[in-house]
Amino acid sequence: MTAPHPEAVCFDGASLTASQVTALARTSRPVHLDPQARARVTAARPAAIQATTRRPVYGHSTGVGANRTTTLDEDATRDFGLRLLRSHAGGIGPLVPVEQSRAMLAVRLNQLLGAGSAIDGAVVDALAQALTTGHVPEVHALGSIGTADLTALAELGLTLAGEQPWHPGTGLGSPPGPLALSSWDALPLLSSSALTIGQAALAATDLRTLLDRVPLVAALSLTAVHGSLEPYAAAVHARRPHPGAQQVAARMTRLLDAADWSPSLVQDPFGFRCLPQVHGGAVDAWNALDRVLAVELNASAENPLLDGDEYYHHGGFHQAPLALALDQMRLALLGTAQLTTARQGALNEPAFTGLPPFLAEAENGSSGLMAIEFAAHSALAELRGSAQPVTLGHSVISRGVEEHASFAATAARRLTEAVDHFGLVLACELVAAVRALRMLERTPSGDGELSLFHHAAAAVLDPDLADHKLTADVHAAAALLRSADLDLSMAAPAVVPVQPR
């Protein structure tokens, strides 16, 4: 047996992670199928054939949706698969980005290796080839209501069948050749929310980095105002032990363990004092989302589900758990962003810093960082809009037999948008914190993670205090915050000093 390439992603139907999906979606690398998982896919078809001799099977010997009562004769069964794909390929709106299409391919490939259907092994081979060569189907963004991404996966099915062209995407090489898809393949391919799950995995991976950077930015702001460390004391959180709050408080304590100041105030504003409670909620929400994704990435949710030689008709395609986790994540993210803008407001206030208003060059009418406070609140408004829970929605379709929907697809798109806006809000605070520390000629105490982060941020932000366009500063800060490979263990670069004018 040939050993897999060292950079290959191995698919076994049971252990795929969100970070692996993200890496494969954004970089070309070979795909390796676990031989045992691939063999299970091949072995499923004979068991399915045996099962259909005993009872009707939805989507194979019957129609789908409200047509479930329609029995297909042998002639109808022969071409039913392609007719099903053609009829369901009704996605609308813009095409999804290439990385989201690749994420969808990765998720669906892994799920099919769970052998919960009688799909042809050639389908999983074709998905693996497409990922390896970088080819993607052209998939429209709108069409799912959270009970399987039917339209997106139907477009994938038609691409596999050769009725739609493969898009070159990011890679090289030949795309998969056309497959003869049957009723054994069509509904099993559609019975998944692979696009939604892939989009959620991408957003969750990016959020993990951003959420981890929040304490670093907040600690710089706290250093600028000489705030109190008491809100982060272990004794406080031992009495109210929410995991996220404890984690954030402990992180702040580690970051500021070399702090050498006495607090300026008996009690700081909520932006500093309530960080563990509010941002801790976002950390808890991320962990909850991660747990749901760990299940969905490796789930056999096909309806009907083949287990051994029995079929089970069920509702496992319904994405209520994912929709709820995505709603919670966006709501929690809004709270963290609100505290970020609150800390930025404190940095603009002379009463907290002893500096000119808006961290301007001098008290001579200069506006300083006034504009990026407006910009931060503009991005915050976008977050507020995207935080609306999609699970408040309701849908009755297919002649009344499908009377509930999760709208998880909408939730995943909203979280994708929220990641960008959240990064910009946090970047605005980082620009203000670094500028305040420069003006105060103050740096974090010690040479630990916070000091290294401060040096990295100061190195990419303009030290000029004169009024100037601030867009590049905020975008540079946002890029730094989103960088997954920011190394805070290396020696710190020199900080560019403030130039006197």
Side-chain angles (χ1 to χ4, degrees):
M1 184 184 303
T2 304
H5 189 280
E7 293 185 359
V9 177
C10 183
F11 287 80
D12 60 9
S15 60
L16 188 65
T17 66
S19 59
Q20 286 177 315
V21 170
T22 301
L24 191 57
R26 292 174 175 167
T27 58
S28 295
R29 58 185 66 197
V31 167
H32 174 69
L33 301 184
D34 177 78
Q36 292 182 328
R38 178 63 177 77
R40 287 195 297 270
V41 173
T42 301
R45 178 69 67 86
I49 293 173
Q50 181 62 30
T52 58
T53 65
R54 299 190 297 271
R55 60 177 299 192
V57 175
Y58 177 81
H60 176 68
S61 57
T62 77
V64 299
N67 291 333
R68 70 197 186 286
T69 57
T70 302
T71 301
L72 305 179
D73 59 31
E74 187 174 341
D75 289 339
T77 301
R78 257 191 296 274
D79 67 350
F80 178 68
L82 272 178
R83 287 194 288 115
L84 186 66
L85 294 174
R86 290 166 183 156
S87 65
H88 281 64
I92 59 177
L95 296 177
V96 302
V98 167
E99 71 169 30
Q100 294 182 14
S101 290
R102 285 179 60 81
M104 178 186 74
L105 293 177
V107 173
R108 196 68 194 110
L109 169 59
N110 191 66
Q111 293 174 329
L112 288 171
L113 287 171
S117 73
I119 201 163
D120 194 320
V123 173
V124 297
D125 294 338
L127 295 178
Q129 181 183 345
L131 280 168
T132 298
T133 63
H135 290 83
V136 295
E138 292 190 340
V139 172
H140 291 84
L142 303 179
S144 174
I145 58 173
T147 53
D149 295 334
L150 299 175
T151 59
L153 291 169
E155 289 181 300
L156 169 60
L158 291 182
T159 307
L160 289 166
E163 294 197 4
Q164 289 187 182
W166 288 96
H167 182 72
T170 59
L172 301 172
S174 300
L179 300 178
L181 301 180
S182 71
S183 61
W184 293 111
D185 307 306
L187 185 61
L189 183 63
L190 303 184
S191 292
S192 165
S193 291
L195 176 59
T196 296
I197 296 164
Q199 290 168 326
L202 291 167
T205 303
D206 289 340
L207 266 184
R208 181 178 185 176
T209 300
L210 282 173
L211 294 176
D212 185 64
R213 302 279 155 80
V214 169
L216 287 161
V217 178
L220 290 183
S221 296
L222 192 79
T223 301
V225 301
H226 277 176
S228 173
L229 303 186
E230 289 180 22
Y232 318 119
V236 172
H237 298 279
R239 299 295 187 97
R240 192 168 179 247
H242 290 292
Q246 289 183 304
Q247 182 179 330
V248 172
R251 179 89 185 282
M252 291 292 288
T253 298
R254 289 193 302 272
L255 291 172
L256 295 162
D257 64 352
D260 56 1
W261 66 78
S262 298
S264 300
L265 299 170
V266 173
Q267 232 176 216
D268 291 325
F270 279 15
F272 300 102
R273 185 159 35 115
C274 298
L275 178 65
Q277 291 74 24
V278 177
H279 185 52
V283 171
D284 286 336
W286 188 92
N287 286 327
L289 174 58
D290 188 53
R291 287 192 295 271
V292 172
L293 284 173
V295 172
E296 298 300 336
L297 289 167
N298 300 285
S300 293
E302 292 83 13
N303 177 45
L305 176 69
L306 181 65
D307 186 72
D309 61 355
E310 291 290 341
Y311 267 115
Y312 297 86
H313 297 84
H314 63 93
F317 50 81
H318 196 295
Q319 289 297 321
L322 181 58
L324 287 165
L326 291 166
D327 275 358
Q328 181 187 19
M329 185 71 259
R330 297 193 319 282
L331 286 164
L333 198 62
L334 176 62
T336 290
Q338 288 167 333
L339 286 199
T340 292
T341 56
R343 290 190 299 272
Q344 185 183 356
L347 293 170
N348 285 340
E349 175 53 54
F352 291 110
T353 64
L355 296 169
F358 304 108
L359 303 178
E361 183 178 23
E363 294 187 40
N364 59 3
S366 294
S367 296
L369 301 187
M370 182 187 294
I372 67 167
E373 186 174 31
F374 280 79
H377 281 268
S378 177
L380 183 66
E382 297 294 321
L383 283 171
R384 192 161 52 245
S386 68
Q388 171 77 6
V390 304
T391 46
L392 293 174
H394 183 54
S395 178
V396 179
I397 61 172
S398 198
R399 297 172 60 194
V401 301
E402 297 176 8
E403 69 278 29
H404 192 268
S406 73
F407 294 97
T410 304
R413 288 194 299 272
R414 294 294 87 81
L415 185 61
T416 299
E417 297 163 2
V419 170
D420 292 334
H421 293 129
F422 178 73
L424 290 171
V425 172
L426 189 60
C428 289
E429 183 191 357
L430 179 57
V431 170
V434 170
R435 182 170 172 130
L437 290 171
R438 275 187 171 134
M439 295 176 72
L440 292 164
E441 297 184 349
R442 185 179 296 168
T443 58
S445 303
D447 56 0
E449 183 184 7
L450 183 61
S451 179
L452 293 171
F453 177 71
H454 174 238
H455 282 297
V460 300
L461 296 178
D462 189 347
D464 186 7
L465 298 182
D467 285 348
H468 65 278
K469 185 176 180 178
L470 296 162
T471 304
D473 297 76
V474 175
H475 287 176
L480 181 74
L481 290 167
R482 293 191 66 159
S483 174
D485 46 349
L486 175 63
D487 189 353
L488 298 181
S489 63
M490 299 172 62
V495 178
V496 180
V498 174
Q499 300 297 322
R501 295 179 61 86

